[in-house]
Amino acid sequence: MRHMSRKRVALILLALILLALPAVLLAGAAAWLMLAFDPDSLRPRLLAEAARATGRSVTIDGPLRLTLFPRLAVAAEGVALANLPGGTRPDMLTLRRAEAEVALWPLLRGQVVIAALRLSGADLLLERQNWIFARNRPPAAPAAPGGPSAPRAPAFRLDSLVLTDARVAAAGETVEIVTAIWHAPAARLSAEARWRGQPLRLTAEAGVATTPWPLVAEAAAEGMTLRFDGSTPGPLRWDGAEGTVSLSMDRTTRLVPLLPAAAAWPAMEDAAWPAMEEVSLSATLRPGPAFTALRATIGRADYGPARLEAVRLSADSPEAPLTGTGSLRIGQGRLALEMTGGPAAHFWPGRPAAEWPLRVAAEGEGLAITANALLLPTGRPGLVELALTAADLGTSGRRLGLALPALTAVTVQAGVRPDGDGLRLSPVSLDSAEGDLAGEALWQPGAPPRVMGQVRGRRLDLDAVIAAMAVPSPAAAAAPAAPRPPLVAPPLPRTRSPVGAPVGSRTGPAPARSIPDLPLPMAWLASLPAAGQVGLGVGELVLDGVTYRDLDLRADFGTGTGTLDPFAVTLPGGRVALRVAATAAPARLALRMRSDALDTAVFEAAYGLPRRLSGPLEIDLDLAGPAGDLRGWLAGATGHLGLAMLGGRLEPAMVAGIPPALLSLLLPGGMPPDGIAQRCTALRLRAGDGAARIETLLIEGALGRLGGTGTIGLADEALNLRLLPDLRIGQVAVRGPVGVVGTLAAPRVGQVDARGAAAGALGALLSLQRTPDRRLGALAEELSGPATALPDCAAAMTTARGGRAGPVPGPVPGPVPGPREAAAEPASRPTTQDILRGLLGR
């Protein structure tokens, strides 16, 4: 029994020794590896295996290290993997340090299981599909006679990869990887990186490594996410990928730091094109590659007062038409949008150049707008056709918060097409109940760009057009609208001396100026954005309740210059032709105006002016001078003004601004209530040196003739006139020079001929007598003196016209009795008693 017990103990000890032997051997091997094994002896084997696995040469410039505790690990420094022949650099991959943790038990079974591979300082270049390796596999061993052998587990497996401080370059771009972690067998990847200075977050899950490779990948940057959900033929292979690709972003400006070329896209944020918000794009990817089920949405995009909302774009396939819907909000109104375009594949890289059509329609708030465009193969826009219809454009404008003209039954059509380097607008037309216009225009690039155009119309009611141009605010809408100023300003009030005031006396503040201080903004010519020529012709134009006819205008303009020639229009009363030329530097304005027979009565009535003169007025105006304001222009102007009228009548309102003292000298009996019929009126002024000098002045009518000489100051409005009357009022003949001084706003009588004043006083007394005394009349005639030498109508009107021929009054029928012949007996000078008798009416 004792013997059996010893035997059992020996067996147990032997079993324990046998069991501990592997551990002892492993411990001994580990001790030998740590003390005697040189890891560099593995370098040739490692390099050969790496070359066989990749088909590329591998180098390790740094030392190799081997550790057993706490786990088996191999580390190498200065590792490089060769690139394809002809690559842009010798090495596809360089590593500062690589460390691999190897599972020990699988290694004993002939399997290499890398539990963790840590790479730091990696520099990877991807080009020419150099990520596809040609493995050098040994020839397969013959099958065993008993049939095919059972499948063996893979000889190599990587369970985890950790990448830090790495760089990946591809297609001229570089991604900096802060950290990346990859886990098998689910092939999950998470990474933090930077691209073009922007932080990126990358996640991917490839599932089991089968063919095709299932892949869900997502790249996220601030405010946007790019996602792929599908499969690929293998890692980093996209030629046969299928799945769904989607991109979402809170605003399109997120793309600018990542895609600098996107800064030039219209959807980017700048002064004219604000960013689109809540944008998403998606498509189904098919091998080829090809996309189907293309979808795009835009939540909103603000364009000034307008907002684009809920835009949906779709195409069933790359060759199918691109369609879309959405809405455009402006003010309180909304327009529904519909779009139809050509195939989406038109914009695919490598697609042959072809035309691409686009149609956009907008409807709502009483408006219907369509736009048809054609994108040329060159990428430039081709023909663009626009059409608009509206029942009431003004009402639609108020709803949309836009200053649109109050036109009704409106139809607008326009075509825009390339013309050389420029654009041609042709045809363009507007038809409405208020008027119509049609024409064409050409824009050509340059410095400055050039614009040529011509617009014609049969009728245009600008009063209706302008009525709704200014959209009132809610507060302003409640207040009554201020009346719009008339086209022609009413005359400025004049200061007159009170009746009975001494000649030359003044009361109250200084009189106002007659010439308004009206700015002439020549400087705006220097800021003209273009040069060119534009013509306008309208058969009938209504403005401020006044109807103008046969407007013919041509404007030539350039940087700092502008000319209106011709500028002809038929005003109420007659046709007027003008020529206006202006420059900005130096500021200068030249004005020429001519009218052959302007009916002043019709003209004054049309503009609500006091009726001062009735008859066919001929105007000949030509003035030029430095232009800052109207006063300064007149003060420095040179040229002339000529006025001529055949026949006509001086109305009572003509004398409204004449001081009573002067009026009593010229018209002792006052102005007749029905005016004074005229035979001719002629005036010509020569401007220069700050004054207008009278070259001719003749007013001849039923009461006689009035001439004069002198100057009118254009800078200070000072008067220095010498009037020469030769008038007969009743039985009184008024002759003798009368001086007029003061200003245009406040004229007053200067020197008065005493004899003429006495004659005027006698004439006033005679006008009170029922039977004027002939002897007093003779005395008044004697005091008036001899008749003043004044030109006849024909000569004066020819001078006023600047020498041009024109109609003149015919000869006066029969002899014209002079003042002396009109006075009867006695021929002798009256005595004092005769004068008293005449004064007492006896």
Side-chain angles (χ1 to χ4, degrees):
M1 186 70 180
R2 183 179 298 173
H3 176 73
M4 292 297 294
S5 298
R6 291 178 178 175
K7 184 178 180 180
R8 182 177 298 176
V9 171
L11 291 174
I12 292 173
L13 290 174
L14 180 60
L16 289 175
I17 292 172
L18 292 175
L19 289 175
L21 183 60
V24 173
L25 293 175
L26 288 175
W32 176 77
L33 287 174
M34 295 179 62
L35 298 174
F37 180 71
D38 182 7
D40 270 336
S41 63
L42 295 176
R43 188 187 301 266
R45 178 70 180 272
L46 290 175
L47 296 180
E49 288 296 325
R52 183 180 65 82
T54 62
R56 315 269 181 88
S57 64
V58 179
T59 59
I60 303 176
D61 295 334
L64 286 174
R65 293 183 175 85
L66 179 65
T67 60
L68 294 177
F69 300 101
R71 59 182 62 88
L72 179 61
V74 179
E77 297 181 3
V79 181
L81 173 64
N83 199 357
L84 287 175
T88 57
R89 73 183 193 187
D91 296 325
M92 171 187 174
L93 171 66
T94 60
L95 294 170
R96 186 172 61 247
R97 178 179 175 81
E99 181 180 352
E101 293 183 6
V102 184
L104 185 58
W105 291 114
L107 187 62
L108 296 177
R109 297 195 301 268
Q111 289 181 288
V112 179
V113 177
I114 307 298
L117 177 61
R118 298 182 181 87
L119 306 177
S120 62
D123 189 350
L124 175 64
L125 172 64
L126 300 177
E127 62 177 359
R128 302 171 55 198
Q129 292 190 327
N130 60 354
W131 55 86
I132 299 177
F133 299 98
R135 294 175 174 83
N136 297 321
R137 302 181 182 272
S149 60
R152 299 179 59 187
F156 178 84
R157 190 180 79 217
L158 177 63
D159 290 343
S160 173
L161 171 65
V162 178
L163 190 65
T164 58
D165 189 21
R167 292 163 52 90
V168 179
E173 297 289 341
T174 301
V175 177
E176 299 175 3
I177 299 177
V178 179
T179 180
I181 302 174
W182 181 82
H183 293 283
R188 290 190 303 270
L189 171 68
S190 63
E192 299 287 336
R194 295 186 67 84
W195 182 37
R196 292 183 174 176
Q198 301 298 309
L200 300 176
R201 296 179 303 278
L202 306 174
T203 61
E205 184 170 350
V208 180
T210 61
T211 302
W213 222 44
L215 176 63
V216 177
E218 184 175 282
E222 186 176 3
M224 61 181 177
T225 301
L226 175 65
R227 181 180 176 87
F228 174 79
D229 192 344
S231 63
T232 68
L236 299 177
R237 291 186 60 186
W238 297 97
D239 51 342
E242 8 181 9
T244 301
V245 181
S246 62
L247 171 67
S248 63
M249 64 189 81
D250 57 357
R251 57 191 296 120
T252 52
T253 49
R254 300 292 191 187
L255 290 173
V256 175
L258 300 177
L259 304 175
W265 297 354
M268 297 302 104
E269 188 171 21
D270 56 28
W273 297 91
M276 298 178 182
E277 300 181 7
E278 301 172 12
V279 178
S280 67
L281 306 171
S282 66
T284 300
L285 180 63
R286 294 284 182 259
F291 286 94
T292 61
L294 287 85
R295 303 289 184 266
T297 64
I298 302 171
R300 57 175 285 179
D302 292 332
Y303 295 83
R307 172 179 294 178
L308 196 63
E309 293 181 338
V311 177
R312 301 286 185 270
L313 302 174
S314 64
D316 293 335
S317 69
E319 301 300 331
L322 182 65
T323 62
T325 61
S327 65
L328 183 65
R329 289 195 175 273
I330 309 176
Q332 301 299 317
R334 176 182 175 274
L335 300 178
L337 301 179
E338 291 186 0
M339 186 205 81
T340 303
H346 173 86
F347 302 99
W348 262 222
R351 180 82 172 188
E355 295 181 345
W356 194 78
L358 174 65
R359 182 182 186 274
V360 179
E363 187 171 356
E365 309 301 341
L367 295 176
I369 305 170
T370 60
N372 293 289
L374 189 65
L375 191 66
L376 298 178
T378 58
R380 296 182 58 191
L383 174 64
V384 179
E385 295 177 331
L386 304 173
L388 177 148
T389 60
D392 188 333
L393 198 58
T395 301
S396 299
R398 286 189 291 274
R399 177 67 179 167
L400 297 173
L402 301 176
L404 299 180
L407 300 176
T408 57
V410 182
T411 299
V412 178
Q413 293 182 335
V416 183
R417 60 170 55 88
D419 189 319
D421 293 335
L423 291 176
R424 180 174 294 275
L425 181 65
S426 176
V428 57
S429 64
L430 179 149
D431 288 293
S432 70
E434 291 73 22
D436 62 274
L437 290 172
E440 63 177 1
L442 174 65
W443 176 86
Q444 295 175 320
R450 187 166 181 81
V451 178
M452 307 290 290
Q454 183 70 37
V455 179
R456 294 287 177 183
R458 296 186 301 272
R459 181 178 181 275
L460 185 59
D461 188 346
L462 280 183
D463 287 342
V465 172
I466 298 174
M469 288 298 287
V471 178
S473 63
R484 188 157 50 94
L487 179 66
V488 178
L492 295 176
R494 295 175 178 268
T495 304
R496 293 183 293 171
S497 301
V499 178
V503 175
S505 66
R506 295 186 180 182
T507 61
R513 300 282 294 266
S514 291
I515 302 174
D517 188 13
L518 179 66
L520 300 177
M522 299 295 104
W524 70 271
L525 290 172
S527 60
L528 286 177
Q533 183 183 97
V534 176
L536 174 64
V538 180
E540 182 178 294
L541 181 70
V542 179
L543 179 62
D544 282 326
V546 179
T547 300
Y548 303 85
R549 301 185 187 280
D550 301 326
L551 172 65
D552 185 14
L553 180 149
R554 187 184 70 186
D556 291 272
F557 51 92
T559 304
T561 64
T563 303
L564 296 179
D565 185 20
F567 183 6
V569 61
T570 301
L571 303 175
R575 189 161 183 81
V576 174
L578 299 95
R579 183 185 186 277
V580 182
T583 59
R588 187 172 180 82
L589 174 65
L591 174 63
R592 183 185 302 166
M593 176 179 176
R594 178 167 293 178
S595 172
D596 289 337
L598 181 65
D599 191 327
T600 56
V602 176
F603 181 86
E604 292 166 337
Y607 294 106
L609 301 175
R611 188 168 178 177
R612 301 175 182 272
L613 188 65
S614 301
L617 180 64
E618 301 174 46
I619 304 173
D620 179 16
L621 171 67
D622 192 349
L623 291 176
D629 54 51
L630 182 59
R631 290 177 183 172
W633 177 63
L634 290 175
T638 59
H640 65 267
L641 168 64
L643 303 175
M645 178 182 288
L646 179 63
R649 178 177 294 274
L650 297 178
E651 302 294 344
M654 177 63 79
V655 301
I658 300 179
L662 178 59
L663 184 61
S664 64
L665 290 176
L666 299 179
L667 297 173
M671 185 71 170
D674 57 349
I676 303 173
Q678 297 299 107
R679 185 164 177 264
C680 72
T681 302
L683 171 66
R684 189 171 185 86
L685 300 174
R686 175 65 62 178
D689 299 327
R693 178 175 56 84
I694 297 177
E695 290 188 341
T696 188
L697 171 61
L698 178 65
I699 302 175
E700 181 175 325
L703 299 183
R705 300 188 297 171
L706 175 67
T709 59
T711 59
I712 302 173
L714 298 178
D716 56 6
E717 302 186 13
L719 298 177
N720 184 15
L721 305 178
R722 185 171 181 267
L723 300 182
L724 305 174
D726 185 3
L727 308 175
R728 175 175 294 280
I729 300 140
Q731 298 295 323
V732 180
V734 178
R735 298 190 188 95
V738 177
V740 179
V741 294
T743 65
L744 287 173
R748 63 182 189 274
V749 179
Q751 291 184 342
V752 180
D753 182 84
R755 294 170 60 88
L762 285 176
L765 290 174
L766 290 172
S767 65
L768 299 175
Q769 294 181 342
R770 294 182 178 179
T771 305
D773 191 291
R774 293 187 175 183
R775 288 171 295 181
L776 289 178
L779 179 59
E781 179 183 352
E782 181 70 20
L783 292 173
S784 296
T788 305
L790 295 175
D792 59 18
C793 280
M797 293 185 72
T798 299
T799 303
R801 292 170 177 149
R804 291 185 302 112
V808 296
V812 179
V816 180
R820 293 185 182 275
E821 289 76 13
E825 294 293 337
S828 59
R829 187 180 301 275
T831 62
T832 304
Q833 292 82 353
D834 296 331
I835 294 175
L836 291 175
R837 188 180 298 111
L839 291 174
L840 296 175
R842 298 179 182 177

